[in-house]
Each structure stands twice: as structure tokens, then as C-alpha cells.
């Protein structure tokens, strides 16, 4: 399917080797990870346990001689069934389709803005299975305004942060949080692109239901258009 204008802009930006983790990592350090409901390996572990899931992810990274595991855009996952935040037990409304790109790496790993940015909002989303500390940045490129969301951060990432604060491309904006603060997940960054932030402040859905997929797929295009990891 051809890219629309916004997707073309993101892809064009991605030609500039943008990054949200340190630029000392090479593309060979990133290994793909499948956390979808169709991965039979996940049926052998307790995915409701951040410790068990973390051990699986760490072993996967080591097996493939990488440093970071990535993946998850539009992936249908069962791992959200542990949390009533996503699952109201009505299949038609079950939120299980992931709208961002996950980068799995150790807690306290620094996070950088891929573009010049202004802090739109931030919040500690404390529900079980939620983002934990979250930052949303606003970008304006070639007259187009859009937003990027960074979820599962450390509590310290929100300290002294202010709405309207400016960052230059490549500035450190945060660090990753541990399971104790990040919604009870193995440490990772949830990175999401948002075209229209709507009325959200410090939060935006990172998982949707099948019935809402068309809207969110259009409003939250593939982050790999910018990061170009694969």
C-alpha cells in the first residue's frame, strides 16, 4: 500500500538515522522479538509475570547475539489479559493490538529525542499494566505537527520536567524504569508516533481493540518509518 503524506514525511526523516537509544548501538545490535499470541514459545511461560517474561526476552537477546530486542507494532498480544486496564472480558472490545514499537533493554538505559521537540505533557500512569512514567513530545517538521510518546520510564525522568520545555535532536529526555514503576513489565521503551493527540495529556492509548484498529492505525503509523530498524 502506498504511503500517505504523513507516512512519507516520517520515512524521509528516517533517512537521517534517527534514534531513541544511544547512537553507539548498531543495527546489528537489534534483534526482532515476537510477543504475539501466535508465538508458541509464550505458551510455555507465565507471561503475566514480569520476571518470567523478562527472562524469556533476555534469553532471546542472548541467543541471537544482540543487545536490544524490538518489535510489536500492530502485534496482537495475549499478555494484556492479566490486566483489567486492557481487558473488560468482552471479546469485541478486548484491547490487545499494540500500537507502538517496543525496545527491550535494561532499566536506566538513556532515552533520546529523535527530533527537535517541545514537551507536550507528562504523567505517571500508575494502573497495573499501564505505562508508568510517560512523556509526550511535540514536533513540528515542514509545517506538520505530530507527537511521540515514550512509556515505561523511570520516576526520575519526570523530575524537573516542564510543559513547553525544549529539547534539541539527540538530547537525553529520560531513562527506562524497572518493573516496580513501569506498569510491571520487563524494562523496555514503548515508542509511539501520534498524528492527532486529541484531548489526551500525559497519556494516549498504546493498545487498541480490533473494532478501533482502522482509526488508530491511521493516527499512529509504524514507528519504524522513523527508526528504520527493519
Amino acid at each position: 500500500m502506498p504511503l500517505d503524506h504523513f507516512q512519507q514525511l516520517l520515512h524521509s526523516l528516517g533517512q537521517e538515522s534517527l534514534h531513541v537509544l544511544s547512537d553507539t548501538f548498531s543495527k546489528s545490535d537489534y534483534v526482532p522479538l515476537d510477543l504475539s499470541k501466535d508465538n508458541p514459545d509464550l505458551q510455555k511461560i507465565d507471561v503475566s509475570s514480569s520476571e518470567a517474561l523478562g527472562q524469556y526476552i533476555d534469553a532471546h537477546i542472548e541467543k541471537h547475539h544482540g543487545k536490544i530486542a524490538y518489535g510489536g507494532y500492530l502485534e496482537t498480544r495475549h499478555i494484556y489479559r492479566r490486566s483489567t486496564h486492557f481487558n473488560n472480558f468482552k471479546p469485541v472490545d478486548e484491547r490487545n493490538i499494540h500500537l507502538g514499537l517496543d525496545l527491550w533493554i535494561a532499566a536506566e538505559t538513556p532515552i533520546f529525542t529523535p527530533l527537535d521537540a517541545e514537551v507536550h505533557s507528562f504523567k505517571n500512569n500508575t494502573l497495573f499494566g499501564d505505562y508508568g512514567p510517560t512523556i509526550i513530545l511535540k514536533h513540528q517538521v515542514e509545517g506538520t505537527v505530530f507527537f511521540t510518546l515514550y512509556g515505561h520510564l523511570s520516576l526520575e525522568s519526570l523530575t524537573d520536567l516542564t510543559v513547553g520545555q525544549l529539547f534539541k535532536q539527540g538530547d537525553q529526555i529520560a531513562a527506562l524504569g524497572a518493573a516496580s514503576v513501569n506498569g510491571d513489565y520487563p524494562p523496555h521503551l514503548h515508542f509511539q508516533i501520534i498524528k492527532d493527540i486529541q484531548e489526551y495529556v500525559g497519556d494516549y492509548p498504546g493498545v487498541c481493540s480490533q473494532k478501533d484498529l482502522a482509526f488508530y492505525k491511521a493516527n499512529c503509523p509504524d514507528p519504524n518509518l522513523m527508526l528504520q530498524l527493519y
Side-chain angles (χ1 to χ4, degrees), residues 120 136-139 145-148 192-195 197:
H120 170 269
I136 297 175
L137 298 182
K138 177 182 178 181
H139 311 280
V145 174
F146 63 97
F147 305 84
T148 51
Q192 186 169 333
I193 299 171
I194 305 164
K195 186 175 181 181
I197 198 69

Side-chain angles (χ1 to χ4, degrees), residues 129-162:
D130 207 338
Y131 289 128
T134 307
I135 296 172
I136 297 175
L137 298 182
K138 177 182 178 181
H139 311 280
Q140 184 165 342
V141 180
E142 298 179 9
T144 298
V145 174
F146 63 97
F147 305 84
T148 51
L149 182 150
Y150 307 78
H152 310 298
L153 306 175
S154 67
L155 287 172
E156 292 76 13
S157 298
L158 305 187
T159 302
D160 298 326
L161 200 63
T162 58

Side-chain angles (χ1 to χ4, degrees), residues 39-51:
N39 181 353
D41 290 341
L42 295 184
Q43 298 174 13
K44 304 172 187 175
I45 65 171
D46 178 9
V47 296
S48 69
S49 163
S50 58
E51 182 177 0

Side-chain angles (χ1 to χ4, degrees), residues 10 14 18 114-115 146 148 191 193 222-228:
L10 297 174
L18 305 182
L115 299 165
F146 63 97
T148 51
F191 176 64
I193 299 171
D222 188 350
N224 193 58
L225 290 166
M226 281 178 58
L227 300 185
Q228 299 191 14

Side-chain angles (χ1 to χ4, degrees), residues 1-15:
M1 182 179 295
L3 301 180
D4 64 22
H5 175 75
F6 182 47
Q7 292 170 328
Q8 288 175 356
L9 173 63
L10 297 174
H11 186 267
S12 175
L13 292 171
Q15 302 297 309

